[in-house]
Amino acid sequence: MSLFAIFALLMTITALFSFLNERWFKLPTTIGVMVASLLASIILIILSRLGLNASGWAFSILQRIDFNALLMKGMLSFLLFAGALHLDLDSLLDRRWSILTLATVGVLISTFMIGTASWLIFNAIGLEVPFVYALLFGALISPTDPIAVLGLLKRAKMPGTLETMITGESLFNDGVGVVVFTLVLGFIAGGHEMSLWETGKLFFVEAIGGVIYGILLGLLGYLFLKSVDNYKVEALLSLALVTGGYALAGFLHTSGPIAMVVAGLFIGNRGRAFAMSDKTRERLDDFWELMDEILNALLFVMIGLEVLVLDLMRPYFVAGFLLIPTVLISRFFSVGIPLSLLRYYKAPPPYTIRIMTWGGLRGGVSIALALSLPLSPQRGLILMSTYIIVIFAILVQGLTFGRLARWVSAKIPSV
């Protein structure tokens, strides 16, 4: 099957699932497509047990797709840029220390808490896993997924300050999470010890460099957008900013995800206010919202296919289900500790820790990082555990997040 045929098939399935959800289920697009993909996967697994080679069909498709490269080096750039376009920079700067601390210290706390707990759980049920691989799992499952979070926030009526904190953290912490994951994976592959100097150097180059590069990229895009008044040309310029800028970030060894968030914030605030006419602003918003919806749905269709080729060993299921409360508890502490320390500087709104714990969904980013792991005895366990946690996050946390958001809104309507 050619790559074009695979793309056509995936787009057709995505469109069908989106139609079914919009016509009958009426769920948020992210959750609806995920549910449809999961149900389709279960049906295909049953058919495989009855003799139909559905797993082989799915494997032949997925074998042609570099899932990690597609998401981490392609789709993620569009999704992060689109999400950052609509984030109020003034509100973000007002809570900058809270968001920065959650996206850095919070991710590190979560990585070590989940890594240690998962190592104990894996070995307690008879799965011998080195601590460094458990730490790697902690790194890939710690970042909340902006793809899932942004999709929910579009439907949930959150108080303004809470929405800013959730959105800002979800956009920045996956960039930091990718840096931590890359660091741990590099030490596993190279067999090096984790020195404080090497850790700090990588973080500075990747994360801080990504911020600086994103500002320069946003400024360049702003100058180009301001010099023309044609929404078609400006849409092309924004596409070039995302694709070319993200590709160049790889050559510069800076964080592409962080650079896209910063560039999106720059264009979405200064660019929208001073470089676009009302017509261009409206058309550009529609363009990026459509791009976000298409890629979002397509992503979860591909994730649904992955379940067909996973190793369905019973201990892996046990580990995955035991790790669900572990991840939630770690999320509570990784949010609660930084915000509790910062309350003397600027107290967070009421119920912030509670709603950020439940709203910290894991999704495509964690799946992609797990799929990027090299072949090893631990790969199947990590991938299955990740998938189970993602399913719980999308289906359980995602479906109940709106109710929690409405409850918080009723308690603190003025926030």
Side-chain angles (χ1 to χ4, degrees), residues 203-214 254-255 258-259:
F203 180 82
F204 181 83
V205 173
E206 289 278 342
I208 308 302
V211 172
I212 297 172
Y213 174 63
T254 61
S255 174
I258 292 179

Side-chain angles (χ1 to χ4, degrees), residues 266-343:
F266 198 103
I267 299 299
N269 286 267
R270 186 169 180 82
R272 283 166 57 87
F274 302 108
M276 301 178 192
S277 65
D278 292 339
K279 181 180 180 181
T280 297
R281 191 180 301 115
E282 181 181 351
R283 296 293 180 87
L284 209 62
D285 285 347
D286 290 341
F287 172 79
W288 280 103
E289 286 176 9
L290 177 61
M291 183 74 70
D292 177 72
E293 289 290 341
I294 292 174
L295 294 180
N296 203 341
L298 184 62
L299 170 66
F300 282 96
V301 168
M302 289 189 289
I303 291 176
L305 290 176
E306 287 294 335
V307 74
L308 296 176
V309 298
L310 291 178
D311 192 352
L312 304 178
M313 293 177 60
R314 183 178 178 182
Y316 292 3
F317 278 100
V318 174
F321 284 108
L322 290 176
L323 283 168
I324 290 174
T326 301
V327 170
L328 287 172
I329 293 171
S330 299
R331 172 68 177 172
F332 175 81
F333 283 104
S334 66
V335 170
I337 293 174
L339 290 182
S340 297
L341 294 175
L342 287 171
R343 74 181 185 273

